[in-house]
Each structure stands twice: as structure tokens, then as C-alpha cells.
Amino acid sequence: MNSPSFCNRIRIAAVVAAVLAAAAGAQEGYKDTPILPGQKWHVHDPDRPRPRTVEPGDAPGSPPSDAILLFDGRDLSQWAQRGAGGQLVAPRWTLGDGYFEVGPGTGDLITREKFGDCQLHLEWAAPARIQGAGQERGNSGVYMMSRYEMQVLDSYQNPTYADGQAGAIYGQWPPLVNPIRKPGEWNSYDIVFEAPRFDGAKLLQPAYVTLFFNGEVVHNRKELMGNTEYRALGTYKPHGDEPLLLQDHGYRVRFRNVWIRRLGGYDQPEARR
Ligand code: MG
């Protein structure tokens, strides 16, 4: 009979080591391995905090257990608007059956909580009845940190400037493709946002955005040039965490299934149960 192959011997050794470690009440891993460059951990370090356990959503697009539900179809308790004096007031956007809708003149909507690095999921629908053209058709927007707009627009057979169509980082980068659904149908955005870093007035690191539009990557960790401007170049001005903002651009755009996750580092310890 042939002796076990090299790979099989490694596998057997690993299983034996894991069983012995478990029996001794220790974490599986190694301390006689190299230190990972730029990190403080050994390769396979047993002391490295393990990722938290979370329950995934029931279906694609549904919120996992560690998400903050910004809208679950029922109420706008996580949202507010700015009054004339800048104070927070109750939302004026209307609630429908499982969605909420901006109406002309209702003003921008902001989250009561502030966010920095995050993963955001939301779904939106432009009006089913087509009215207007170009930028004047189903315009709204998702403003990360209240300043960096991911454009929402009815871009279905609706030519406009490339950096202003749905999925654009408005005024900076067009989406890689246009996967929009027909007017009235629901579209999804899944956004990974890295907040800019500042040291006093100095920009240390710009913001980056990854955006999945109806499941397609339309921005792959794209660097933002600054805040969103109209007919002008954006710039960076130092700021901390800020609310997520949904834009009132005067069109009846609907939103549903909005949830967000704060993004931490790799070495957050698992919550003890
Ligand atoms: Mg807009």
C-alpha cells in the first residue's frame, strides 16, 4: 500500500493538532509562524480575535442580524428633516404600503444617526408614469455623509450627461454600465463607503465608493474627488460622521428596505455568548 501523500499527511497533522487544542481548551492555531506584514498577528494566530457571528438575511437583499434597520416598511422613526433653524423635525415624506416617498417640496430626509464607513442597502423606484426628460425625470439621490451623492434618476431610455445618470457619483464618475429597470420597478443599490480621513484641515485619505446597482458593480472602490457639486468641482472640507441623506429633487421617488451596517476593523472580538 502506498504511504499517504504529502497533502494528506498535512491534513492529518492539522486535524490531530485541532483535536489536541480543543481537548486542552485552547484555540486552534500557531505561534511559530511568520508575522503578517503590517499586522501584529502570526499566520494562523490562535489569539487573533475571531469575526463576530451574525445571522444572514432570509433572502438576498434582506437585512442581516447586525444591520441597523433604517426602514422596514412601517415607520420613519429613524429619520428626520431639518427645520428652518436647522433643528430636527418629523419627516414630511409620505408612507405608503411598505415604502416611503418623497414629494415635491417635502425637503431632504436625513437619518437621526450619523455614519462613517458603512455598507448600505436600499431599493428605490422612479414614478411609473414618465414625466419630463433628462435630469428632470425621477431625480433623487443618496448622499453619503450628507455630501457625496450617488445619483438616483429614471435613466431608462433617458439620455442625460453620463456623470448624472442613475448610479453615477454625481458630477464625477458615470456608472460602468446602466442596469436600470423600467419606470415604476424597484432598483437596488448596495454601497460600500469608506469615509475620508482628515488631520485637522489636511486630507489624509479621500473617500472611496463601491456600488452594486441591481447586482452589477458600477463603481469598484472609486476615489471621490470631493463633495458633490452642480456644474463645479467638488472639494474636501474636514468633517466627522454625518447623517445619510436622501434628496428631495422635486420628483415622487420611492424607497424601501433600507438598512446599514457600520464597518469596523478586522480584529473586533467576537461577542461572548
Ligand atoms: Mg440627484
Side-chain angles (χ1 to χ4, degrees):
M1 196 167 99
N2 290 334
S3 60
S5 70
F6 180 68
C7 283
N8 274 341
R9 270 182 279 156
I10 286 184
R11 246 179 248 129
I12 291 166
V15 169
V16 170
V19 170
L20 290 175
Q27 297 251 30
E28 184 183 6
Y30 302 91
K31 282 293 197 184
D32 57 354
T33 46
I35 293 283
L36 289 159
Q39 303 184 27
K40 62 180 181 179
W41 309 108
H42 290 270
V43 175
H44 314 314
D45 198 316
D47 296 332
R48 187 168 193 169
R50 289 167 294 161
R52 291 177 295 115
T53 300
V54 299
E55 296 295 325
D58 296 333
S62 61
S65 63
D66 64 342
I68 298 169
L69 294 182
L70 293 177
F71 181 69
D72 64 359
R74 288 194 285 274
D75 66 70
L76 286 170
S77 58
Q78 296 283 339
W79 300 83
Q81 293 191 243
R82 296 246 184 243
Q87 79 282 16
L88 294 184
V89 299
R92 293 184 289 271
W93 292 33
T94 55
L95 267 177
D97 183 13
Y99 64 86
F100 59 95
E101 183 179 83
V102 56
T106 51
D108 298 334
L109 194 65
I110 59 171
T111 53
R112 291 186 177 272
E113 286 191 50
K114 296 177 177 179
F115 300 97
D117 294 351
C118 63
Q119 173 190 354
L120 172 68
H121 174 91
L122 59 80
E123 296 161 28
W124 60 270
R129 192 163 77 88
I130 296 173
Q131 280 185 300
Q135 292 293 302
E136 307 303 320
R137 183 172 142 185
N139 196 335
S140 181
V142 179
Y143 280 72
M144 312 306 295
M145 306 188 94
S146 299
R147 339 174 123 61
Y148 309 106
E149 184 184 16
M150 308 297 113
Q151 174 71 313
V152 166
L153 189 81
D154 181 2
S155 293
Y156 183 81
Q157 299 178 352
N158 179 31
T160 182
Y161 44 86
D163 64 19
Q165 66 179 76
I169 299 171
Y170 186 81
Q172 300 185 16
W173 295 105
L176 292 170
V177 292
N178 178 15
I180 197 162
R181 300 188 200 281
K182 292 177 182 170
E185 296 184 5
W186 288 99
N187 298 285
S188 67
Y189 279 179
D190 287 281
I191 298 170
V192 180
F193 179 76
E194 296 176 47
R197 266 54 172 175
F198 301 95
D199 179 12
K202 186 170 169 241
L203 176 71
L204 294 181
Q205 183 180 303
Y208 293 95
V209 168
T210 299
L211 170 54
F212 291 79
F213 182 177
N214 288 334
E216 298 221 37
V217 174
V218 296
H219 299 291
N220 182 12
R221 199 168 185 264
K222 205 68 194 162
E223 180 180 328
L224 272 64
M225 301 166 193
N227 68 316
T228 297
E229 295 283 358
Y230 175 54
R231 302 181 60 175
L233 294 175
T235 56
Y236 281 105
K237 295 182 184 67
H239 62 85
D241 288 359
E242 291 291 342
L244 174 71
L245 181 149
L246 299 179
Q247 182 188 35
D248 170 16
H249 204 117
Y251 304 92
R252 294 190 181 280
V253 178
R254 296 176 177 181
F255 295 86
R256 72 176 185 187
N257 191 20
V258 188
W259 52 264
I260 195 166
R261 297 178 62 243
R262 299 182 190 279
L263 297 182
Y266 281 104
D267 295 327
Q268 296 177 331
E270 180 169 26
R272 299 293 171 205
R273 298 183 174 208

